Structures are given as structure tokens and as C-alpha cells.
């Protein structure tokens, strides 16, 4: 069991015992938040709820939601639930859409977070004999810190590479025999392309697994990365607001991510009404932090759209699974009245044999939405013959129309002409905001 699980007692815990543990922790956490976070206490009072009303997870629906706007309003210390002197670290979101969200950690918070990341590494086949190359960004971004700490707990030789400097990444990967790669999926694909261009074959590296997260990616993208690097590619999920990566992770089934539900209680709600939906229904993912001390969020709306399932898993874990996020309620684009997710477009591109490098531009011309998609050709596809490119663009336009029900303008561009991202890939430029 020690080789298959990091915490077998937790990861294979019977459902009734897990429910009892979650209820015990929830009751304690609600009291902790009520006593120490005036902002959330005011939300509870407004809804007419007190800690005495919460007896277990069956009462969770009585509590008010939190969203990112609440965290921005309470910035920087309004959600802090312990004395600042008890905190040893902060992490932060990118702040691209407004004020940054700053999350605080006690040492116990960090230990529990790294424990969750260790579970993910072991689920991907990691042991103390592995060399784990961490190419997520370090600093305020949670990716590097979380997988770095998890790798240490497992006992791997850890390469704290951070993101960027791909030439050096490849040198260390090959010279030191990295066996596990941790980074965003778009950067993993770029490393794979760069290895191929340098003359390496997938069998030339010692990688066996990759743990990729921090941005949406499709099953088609998974197959592309696995082919480029000769590995099994595992998804990992997390967000700064709850701790960072390690909230959920894939096992060898590669079919849904096990949620570390002893620390993070999941719900699926209707994003429009807030109604809690049953397992198997698609909706917005909501998390309640059951054990975090410094920054404990109750019923935090993630905006990620997914499905929960509790069926048996061949890996032996009893932890509930979440599907790969199907998009974000706030990333969904409404174009000419049609709901469009970037992941739908990526699915078509990879299925049609194009590279995973693309850029979507949405604009409004004469009061009508426009959808332009720049798509890199592979070196084999690229041709200077205008007629050849036009025929390919027409074919790809039809394929995307069949997926979305609206007609885009597809522009096939030369290989390497779209700027690569060494962190989270920026796929969408929506120029309509300037008209709103």
C-alpha cells in the first residue's frame, strides 16, 4: 500500500467514515470562521445562520457562498482567521482581472498542502527514487511551491527549475535524468516540441510521468503531450484561494481527479440559482476548506464547470472524483448568442492534426460579434502556396462550425509564429470589452 498511496488510510477510507470526519471538521471550521472572520460572520448573520445551525455536511447548504469579489473587497487582511504572527507565508493570484487575492498560510497549512501534493506525485508513480523537475513558476504563484514541497515529502530529488529558459530545462532534464515533469500543459508541449527540434526522440529522455495543471487542457492535448515526451500525463487541480495545486489529482486511470476531500469538501451547484446539484450533474464547483487555519474559505465558488462522481476506482481510492473542468463560467464566451469555450476549439484543432498553439480573438464589428482564430500549422502542413492554405482553412472552418454552430474566420499561420507561454497560456483576446 505504501507504494500505491501516500496516505492510504485517508485515500482508501470507507465513505461513512469519511463523511463523519468531514462533518466533524466542518462544525469546528464554521465556529473558527464565525469567531475570527467578521466579514464572513456578517454574511452568515445576513442569512440568519449561526454555527449552532451546522451539525454536519448535510447543513452546508445553509451557509452563504463566497466568490472572488468578496476576497477582493476584503483585501488584504479581511479574510484572515488567525493572528498575523501565526502566518509564515502568503501566496497570490496573478491579479489580471482586478485586485490580487492574497492567501495566508500557517506552517500547518503548508504541511497539509504539501501532503496533498505528495499524494498527487505518488498517484503518478512517484517514489523517493525519482527525479522531479518542477517547471511551474516560483514566487507568489502557488504552482512551484506546492509541487516542490510535495516532491520533498515523497523524497524525490527535486529540480527547482521554475518556468522559462527552455534550453536549460532540457539540459538538466537530459543530464540529470528527470523522471517526473511538473508544469503547465502548454509548456510541456513546448518542451516536447523543443526536444524534437533538437533531434531527441521520446525514448531518449528518462521521463515516465508528467503532472500538469494551472490551465485548462483537453484529452487531445494529453495525447499530444504523451506522444511528444513518451510519458503518461496526469492532471492536477487547485487554486490559490484554497491552497494551490493538490486539491485534486489523477491516478493511473486518468479518468477524473480524486479530490482530497478530507481537506476540501466539494459541491456542484447551478451557477445561475446556487441550487446544489446531485452527483453526475454538470455545474459550478464549490469548495469548503475543512482544515485550513489562516485563510479558511467556506463555500467558495470556483467558476469551474465540472461533474462529481463517486463510483469505484480501479486504483483503490475511495475519494470522490471531479471531471476535468469543462470550462469556466467566467471564461465562457457568448458569441452571436452561442456559448463557446476555448476548450471546444482546442479539441477540434488537435483532432484535425494541428498544433496546440492558437489564439482566439473576439471583436464586434457593426454591432455583430466576430470570431477570429489564428492556428499554427505544423512544419509538414505549412505551405507558401495560397491555394493550399485556403483549402486547409476552409476545411478547418467547417470542422469548427460543426462543433460550435457558428462560423469563425480561421487564419493558418507559420510554425512558431504565435508567442509561446512559459506559464499560463493566454488563448483568448476579447476586444468587445472596449465597447461595453
Amino acid at each position: 500500500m505504501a507504494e500505491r498511496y501516500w496516505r492510504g488510510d485517508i485515500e482508501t477510507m470507507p465513505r461513512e467514515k469519511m463523511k463523519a470526519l468531514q462533518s466533524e471538521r466542518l462544525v469546528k471550521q464554521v465556529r473558527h470562521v464565525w469567531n475570527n472572520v467578521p466579514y464572513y460572520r456578517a454574511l452568515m448573520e445576513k442569512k440568519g445562520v449561526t454555527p449552532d445551525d451546522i451539525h454536519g455536511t448535510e447543513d452546508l447548504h445553509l451557509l452563504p457562498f463566497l466568490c472572488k469579489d468578496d476576497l477582493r473587497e476584503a483585501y488584504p487582511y479581511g479574510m484572515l482567521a488567525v493572528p498575523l504572527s501565526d502566518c509564515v507565508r502568503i501566496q497570490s493570484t496573478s491579479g489580471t482581472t482586478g485586485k490580487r487575492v492574497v492567501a495566508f498560510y500557517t506552517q500547518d497549512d503548508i504541511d497539509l498542502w504539501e501532503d496533498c501534493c505528495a499524494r498527487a506525485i505518488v498517484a503518478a508513480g512517484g517514489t523517493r527514487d525519482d527525479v522531479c523537475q518542477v517547471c511551474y513558476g516560483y514566487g507568489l504563484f502557488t504552482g512551484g511551491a506546492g509541487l516542490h514541497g510535495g516532491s520533498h515529502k515523497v523524497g524525490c530529488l527535486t529540480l527547482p527549475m521554475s518556468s522559462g529558459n527552455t534550453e536549460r530545462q532540457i539540459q538538466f532534464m537530459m543530464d540529470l535524468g528527470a523522471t517526473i515533469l511538473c508544469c503547465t500543459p502548454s509548456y510541456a508541449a513546448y518542451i516536447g516540441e523543443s526536444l524534437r527540434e533538437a533531434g531527441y526522440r521520446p525514448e531518449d529522455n528518462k521521463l515516465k510521468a508528467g503532472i500538469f495543471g494551472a490551465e485548462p487542457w483537453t484529452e487531445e492535448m494529453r495525447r499530444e503531450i504523451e506522444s511528444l515526451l513518451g510519458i503518461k500525463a496526469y492532471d492536477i487541480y487547485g487554486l490559490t484561494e484554497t491552497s494551490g495545486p493538490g486539491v485534486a489529482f489523477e491516478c493511473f486511470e486518468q479518468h477524473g481527479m480524486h479530490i482530497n476531500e478530507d481537506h476540501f469538501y466539494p459541491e456542484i451547484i447551478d451557477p445561475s440559482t446556487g441550487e446544489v446539484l446531485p452527483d453526475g450533474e454538470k455545474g459550478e464547483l464549490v469548495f469548503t476548506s475543512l482544515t485550513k487555519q489562516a485563510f479558511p474559505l467556506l463555500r467558495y465558488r470556483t467558476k469551474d464547470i465540472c461533474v462529481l462522481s463517486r463510483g469505484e476506482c480501479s486504483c483503490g481510492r475511495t475519494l470522490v472524483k471531479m471531471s476535468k473542468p469543462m470550462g469556466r463560467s467566467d471564461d465562457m464566451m457568448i458569441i452571436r448568442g452561442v456559448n463557446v469555450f476555448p476548450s471546444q476549439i482546442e479539441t477540434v484543432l488537435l483532432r484535425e492534426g494541428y498544433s496546440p498553439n492558437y489564439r482566439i480573438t473576439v471583436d464586434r464589428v457593426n454591432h455583430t460579434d466576430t470570431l477570429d482564430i489564428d492556428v499554427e500549422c505544423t512544419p509538414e502542413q505549412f505551405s507558401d502556396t495560397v491555394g493550399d492554405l485556403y483549402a486547409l482553412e476552409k476545411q478547418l472552418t467547417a470542422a469548427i462550425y460543426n462543433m460550435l454552430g457558428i462560423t469563425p474566420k480561421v487564419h493558418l499561420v507559420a510554425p512558431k509564429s504565435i508567442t509561446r507561454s512559459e506559464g499560463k497560456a493566454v488563448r483568448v483576446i476579447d476586444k468587445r470589452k472596449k465597447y461595453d
Side-chain angles (χ1 to χ4, degrees), residues 105 112-120 142 146-147 211 235-250 257-267 285-289 292 300 302 304 308 319-322:
Y105 300 74
L112 293 175
W113 173 27
E114 291 177 349
D115 184 87
C116 289
C117 289
R119 298 183 197 183
T142 57
L147 271 302
I211 301 174
D235 209 345
I236 189 170
Y237 177 89
L239 54 164
T240 302
E241 295 90 328
T242 55
S243 67
V247 171
F249 60 90
E250 279 189 324
M257 288 174 278
H258 291 286
I259 297 173
N260 285 313
E261 55 179 322
D262 53 320
H263 299 303
F264 311 102
Y265 188 88
E267 300 173 275
L285 182 62
V286 173
F287 275 118
T288 292
S289 297
K292 193 163 186 189
Y300 181 71
T302 69
D304 287 317
L308 295 181
L319 300 171
V320 63
K321 280 185 175 182
M322 59 177 279

Side-chain angles (χ1 to χ4, degrees), residues 5-47:
Y5 314 110
W6 175 248
R7 284 292 307 273
D9 57 328
I10 296 293
E11 295 174 62
T12 63
M13 182 178 286
R15 290 302 319 164
E16 287 305 310
K17 189 175 179 182
M18 175 63 75
K19 184 177 179 181
L21 176 64
Q22 291 171 324
S23 290
E24 177 187 341
R25 289 179 169 179
L26 176 64
V27 169
K28 182 178 179 181
Q29 187 74 297
V30 171
R31 181 70 63 179
H32 173 57
V33 171
W34 173 273
N35 290 337
N36 296 289
V37 185
Y39 186 97
Y40 195 79
R41 182 169 64 245
L43 294 180
M44 290 178 64
E45 289 173 338
K46 184 176 180 181
K47 201 172 180 184

Side-chain angles (χ1 to χ4, degrees), residues 86-99:
D86 289 350
C87 298
V88 297
R89 189 193 299 175
I90 66 161
Q91 305 280 172
S92 178
T93 61
S94 60
T96 55
T97 58
K99 278 185 182 178

Side-chain angles (χ1 to χ4, degrees), residues 50-105:
T50 73
D52 294 333
D53 298 313
I54 308 300
H55 306 286
T57 56
E58 68 276 6
D59 299 320
L60 188 61
H61 69 281
L62 299 173
L63 294 171
F65 292 112
L66 280 172
C67 65
K68 188 164 284 190
D69 285 343
D70 290 305
L71 306 191
R72 290 178 179 138
E73 184 176 338
Y75 173 90
Y77 296 122
M79 300 301 295
L80 188 61
V82 299
L84 194 59
S85 58
D86 289 350
C87 298
V88 297
R89 189 193 299 175
I90 66 161
Q91 305 280 172
S92 178
T93 61
S94 60
T96 55
T97 58
K99 278 185 182 178
R100 288 182 177 271
V101 171
V102 177
F104 298 84
Y105 300 74

Side-chain angles (χ1 to χ4, degrees), residues 54-306:
I54 308 300
H55 306 286
T57 56
E58 68 276 6
D59 299 320
L60 188 61
H61 69 281
L62 299 173
L63 294 171
F65 292 112
L66 280 172
C67 65
K68 188 164 284 190
D69 285 343
D70 290 305
L71 306 191
R72 290 178 179 138
E73 184 176 338
Y75 173 90
Y77 296 122
M79 300 301 295
L80 188 61
V82 299
L84 194 59
S85 58
D86 289 350
C87 298
V88 297
R89 189 193 299 175
I90 66 161
Q91 305 280 172
S92 178
T93 61
S94 60
T96 55
T97 58
K99 278 185 182 178
R100 288 182 177 271
V101 171
V102 177
F104 298 84
Y105 300 74
T106 65
Q107 186 58 55
D108 281 345
D109 291 335
I110 290 175
D111 289 341
L112 293 175
W113 173 27
E114 291 177 349
D115 184 87
C116 289
C117 289
R119 298 183 197 183
I121 292 170
V122 172
T127 70
R128 62 180 294 106
D129 296 322
D130 279 293
V131 179
C132 187
Q133 183 161 338
V134 182
C135 309
Y136 287 110
Y138 281 64
L140 290 173
F141 179 57
T142 57
L147 271 302
H148 179 101
S151 176
H152 276 202
K153 279 188 177 289
V154 174
C156 304
L157 174 62
T158 307
L159 307 184
M161 300 296 294
S162 193
S163 59
N165 200 333
T166 304
E167 183 178 342
R168 185 177 61 187
Q169 299 275 8
I170 291 174
Q171 178 189 348
F172 273 69
M173 178 186 298
M174 302 304 292
D175 291 350
L176 297 176
T179 56
I180 298 175
L181 179 65
C182 304
C183 60
T184 61
S186 57
Y187 192 48
Y190 182 42
I191 289 175
E193 290 176 0
S194 300
L195 282 166
R196 183 174 58 189
E197 290 173 2
Y200 292 109
R201 300 165 300 172
E203 58 267 28
D204 291 335
N205 69 66
K206 292 186 178 181
L207 291 173
K208 66 179 185 181
I211 301 174
F212 307 129
E215 64 188 24
W217 55 305
T218 60
E219 288 302 312
E220 289 78 10
M221 181 75 145
R222 187 204 300 271
R223 290 192 287 271
E224 174 82 6
I225 292 170
E226 290 184 334
S227 175
L228 283 168
L229 294 173
I231 62 172
K232 288 194 73 171
Y234 296 91
D235 209 345
I236 189 170
Y237 177 89
L239 54 164
T240 302
E241 295 90 328
T242 55
S243 67
V247 171
F249 60 90
E250 279 189 324
C251 64
F252 61 69
E253 269 201 357
Q254 295 178 294
H255 185 66
M257 288 174 278
H258 291 286
I259 297 173
N260 285 313
E261 55 179 322
D262 53 320
H263 299 303
F264 311 102
Y265 188 88
E267 300 173 275
I268 294 291
I269 65 167
D270 182 315
S272 300
T273 66
E275 176 191 1
V276 179
L277 302 176
D279 290 349
E281 292 286 322
K282 182 172 70 173
E284 182 182 344
L285 182 62
V286 173
F287 275 118
T288 292
S289 297
L290 297 175
T291 55
K292 193 163 186 189
Q293 299 171 356
F295 199 71
L297 301 187
L298 305 180
R299 305 199 81 195
Y300 181 71
R301 299 184 60 161
T302 69
K303 300 295 184 180
D304 287 317
I305 304 298
C306 69

